[in-house]
């Protein structure tokens, strides 16, 4: 899906803030599956949390990402995803060795341009839903920097600038307003 655009990268690097800026500009956006799952799990029995059962969390993120893609298929314009299927499949493969990227990453394509937020310690903050430390976020970022090109995507590392400048850069590369 050429109109499905991934915002990925380092946890705590400003993805959700960028997504909100793109939404304010009138673009369709899909919130990060991980945050939605953590919120739901904390409100319930809490079994599929990344700090309780990371593999169950990744499997649930894959299922949610597939549902997000199906729902977004009815949107005729560009849709921005805060993380998504490839991030979840990469996590599951890293955790379990299951070949999740081969099955999901090649069958369910996104726009060839993928935007990554780099590690940015000055804005990184753990919270009730993000409990891992900065070094774990950097390790994940490094995995994703390798995964996306292996799947044929062109990665764009976003500069550490204000959110509107980041949104301008994304829109410029994609040739949209």
């Amino acid at each position: 899906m050429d109109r499905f655009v991934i915002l990925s990268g380092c946890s705590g690097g400003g993805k959700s803030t960028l997504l909100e800026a793109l939404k304010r500009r009138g673009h369709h956006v899909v919130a990060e599956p991980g945050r939605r799952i953590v919120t739901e799990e904390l409100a319930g029995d809490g079994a599929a949390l990344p700090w309780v059962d990371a593999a169950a969390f990744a499997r649930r993120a894959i299922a949610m990402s597939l549902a997000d893609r199906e729902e977004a298929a009815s949107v005729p314009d560009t849709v921005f995803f805060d993380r998504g299927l490839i991030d979840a499949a990469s996590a599951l493969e890293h955790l379990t060795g299951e070949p999740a990227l081969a099955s999901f990453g090649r069958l369910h394509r996104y726009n060839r341009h993928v935007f990554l937020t780099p590690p940015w310690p000055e804005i990184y903050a753990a919270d009730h839903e993000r409990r891992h430390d900065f070094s774990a976020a950097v390790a994940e970022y490094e995995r994703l920097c390798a995964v996306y090109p292996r799947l044929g995507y062109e990665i764009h590392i976003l500069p550490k600038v204000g959110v509107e400048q980041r949104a301008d850069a994304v829109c410029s590369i994609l040739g949209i307003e």
Side-chain angles (χ1 to χ4, degrees), residues 161-173:
V161 295
V163 66
E164 292 304 324
Q165 291 171 287
R166 279 182 158 187
D168 289 344
V170 167
C171 290
S172 175
I173 289 166

Side-chain angles (χ1 to χ4, degrees), residues 33-49:
R35 285 277 185 170
R36 290 183 281 156
I37 292 166
V38 168
T39 299
E40 290 171 10
E41 290 295 311
L42 288 174
D45 65 7
L49 291 163

Side-chain angles (χ1 to χ4, degrees), residues 96-109:
T96 67
E98 295 175 35
L101 284 168
S103 56
F104 293 112
R106 300 207 188 279
L107 291 175
H108 303 281
R109 301 295 296 171

Side-chain angles (χ1 to χ4, degrees):
M1 283 285 195
D2 198 48
R3 57 193 175 76
F4 288 3
V5 179
I6 292 288
L7 304 177
S8 186
C10 191
S11 180
K15 289 180 302 304
S16 297
T17 303
L18 174 56
L19 195 76
E20 284 303 313
L22 292 165
K23 183 178 180 179
R24 285 192 303 275
R25 292 180 181 203
H27 296 288
H28 297 275
V29 301
V30 177
E32 178 185 355
R35 285 277 185 170
R36 290 183 281 156
I37 292 166
V38 168
T39 299
E40 290 171 10
E41 290 295 311
L42 288 174
D45 65 7
L49 291 163
W51 55 88
V52 174
D53 186 343
F57 173 79
R59 284 187 181 90
R60 184 140 183 240
I62 287 171
M64 186 176 280
S65 296
L66 288 168
D68 288 344
R69 285 177 57 89
E70 188 173 316
E71 187 175 327
S74 66
V75 176
D77 302 316
T78 300
V79 179
F80 290 95
F81 292 80
D82 186 343
R83 296 199 183 271
L85 184 58
I86 293 171
D87 287 47
S90 173
L92 183 63
E93 192 165 298
H94 173 73
L95 291 165
T96 67
E98 295 175 35
L101 284 168
S103 56
F104 293 112
R106 300 207 188 279
L107 291 175
H108 303 281
R109 301 295 296 171
Y110 293 85
N111 187 289
R112 70 181 175 92
H113 296 284
V114 173
F115 300 91
L116 300 179
T117 57
W120 196 349
E122 293 82 6
I123 67 169
Y124 179 86
D127 58 33
H128 186 61
E129 297 167 351
R130 181 188 300 130
R131 297 186 182 180
H132 57 274
D133 64 14
F134 186 67
S135 64
V138 171
E140 176 189 37
Y141 170 77
E142 290 171 352
R143 280 194 307 276
L144 294 170
C145 281
V147 163
Y148 278 102
R150 269 199 332 260
L151 293 173
Y153 291 97
E154 181 179 342
I155 61 172
H156 301 275
I157 309 298
L158 293 170
K160 294 178 184 178
V161 295
V163 66
E164 292 304 324
Q165 291 171 287
R166 279 182 158 187
D168 289 344
V170 167
C171 290
S172 175
I173 289 166
L174 295 173
I176 61 175
E177 300 263 334

